[in-house]
Amino acid sequence: MELLTHIRYALWGPFTVLLILGTGVYLTIQTRLVQVWCLPRLLRGRTQSKSGGLSPLQALCTSLGGTLGVGNLAGVAIAITLGGPGAVFYMLLAAFFGMATKYAELLLAVRFQISDGAPLGGPMVYLTRGAGLPRLAKVFAVCCIFSALGSGAAAQGGAIAEAVEAVCPAPPVLIGILTGILLLPVLYGGGERIARASSVLVPVMTVAYLTAGAAILWMHRDRLPAAFAAILSGALEPLAAGGGVLGLLTAHAVSDGFAKGVFSNEAGMGSAPIAHGCTTGAKPCEEGMLGAVEVFLDTFVVCLMTALVILVTGANESGRMGLSMTAAAFSELFGPLAEGFIAVTVLFLAVSTVLGWSFYGLACLRFLRVRRALRALYPLGVALSVAAAAHFPLTDLLYLCDISAALMAFPNLYGLWVLAPVVRRETKAFLKKP
């Protein structure tokens, strides 16, 4: 764990923080402040596609299935534990500029989409076709395959085991094994079955979670100003202590905020473009707008809700960590049933994330032209990863997630810088349309 901690903070040091922030700022300029105009444009868009498909808002709700997960609950709590309330500020900062990053990712995924029996897109495709970097594309694909087993399967499996163990007196390993077995039929059903399952699992629990969080914030509305003040003052503490700019960049509040922000909304990782790049009949800029709004809802709504609930209830001072801290915060509303509420929420969101990430991994295997017989073993590997993860502490698994997120982000971010002129041209042409 000491070695993992060093690797994690080395990867999420000043260079990575500046790279993510700089990419978001640069793409914000190239997209003419997409954060401002994307939602009005999206709401004015067509209500239904010509082929009778999903409306933009329906597609947005579906795509959130792969994004919402343990990062919204445990990740926020761990960020506050490691970096203090100030980490929340950097999560929001990462998300604001991440809106432009994800817009560009999805735009490029559709722009350079290929048809390989079925549509295929994502960083591995636009790094090859757009940037002319096939070797880097293969590096990304390999990192994504392993990240799907880590961030997508192991972390979610660990979260499920920790949450369910709190309400069910069963060994965590047994919970993990049962979860992996139950996931296998869906995982072997292919991309369509995965997409259908994800779109059903997430919406109900997300609405229930936000409703419960809003109720707690209303109960403690007098403490909200103090919570926001703690977030702002915590973000400024490194400067006040005389650490200067370097201290600001290397402080845990910054590192944990950016890492958990990226892990939650996935802006810059290059994972979500794989799903959007495999759609049919999509238009680059319209798909990009869905990504920008998706980041906003994920971090500015769900993650911020979690952080404020923790701060107004004082759960961050309870001595607990991760999901246990989040459950302690929600006990203000549910009392002894809080552990059960969090367990059910985590189960729904985590399973959806496992399914989404398994789709990403399978798409990268298809890009690498791995034989069909070997690809058939990948869902089994995902299920085994979910089962095995229940044996390890969730905090340790989230360190691995941060490491895998950085390894995926580096080639993807480089590709975004190379292809930024394409994003600018596509956006300029799109904005000229009535």
Side-chain angles (χ1 to χ4, degrees), residues 2 56 261 409 427:
E2 184 176 351
T427 303

Side-chain angles (χ1 to χ4, degrees), residues 114-284:
I114 60 175
S115 180
D116 182 24
L120 180 64
M124 63 283 187
V125 178
Y126 59 70
L127 282 169
T128 300
R129 297 189 65 206
L133 299 167
R135 291 183 179 178
L136 195 61
K138 291 180 180 179
V139 170
F140 171 87
V142 171
C143 289
C144 182
I145 291 167
F146 284 101
S147 194
L149 297 173
S151 296
Q156 310 301 325
I160 292 171
E162 181 177 319
V164 175
E165 185 188 14
V167 295
C168 177
V173 175
L174 178 61
I175 296 171
I177 292 173
L178 290 175
T179 304
I181 292 173
L182 293 174
L183 281 171
L184 276 175
V186 180
L187 293 173
Y188 272 107
E192 291 186 2
R193 186 180 295 178
I194 288 173
R196 288 198 302 269
S198 297
S199 64
V200 171
L201 284 172
V202 172
V204 173
M205 284 313 303
T206 301
V207 171
Y209 181 75
L210 292 176
T211 302
I216 293 175
L217 295 182
W218 177 255
M219 291 167 54
H220 297 288
R221 56 190 179 277
D222 57 317
R223 302 180 189 174
L224 278 173
F228 281 110
I231 292 172
L232 293 175
S233 62
L236 296 174
E237 277 180 3
L239 287 179
V245 175
L246 183 61
L248 176 64
L249 291 174
T250 57
H252 283 194
V254 180
S255 179
D256 289 303
F258 269 84
K260 294 302 180 290
V262 172
F263 174 46
S264 175
N265 60 54
E266 300 178 10
M269 282 181 68
S271 50
I274 299 174
H276 289 267
C278 293
T279 57
T280 55
K283 295 183 179 180

Side-chain angles (χ1 to χ4, degrees), residues 12 15-25 94 97 101 258 262 267 413:
W12 285 100
F15 174 78
T16 308
V17 171
L18 284 174
L19 179 61
I20 292 176
L21 182 60
T23 302
V25 172
F97 293 112
T101 303
F258 269 84
V262 172
L413 291 171

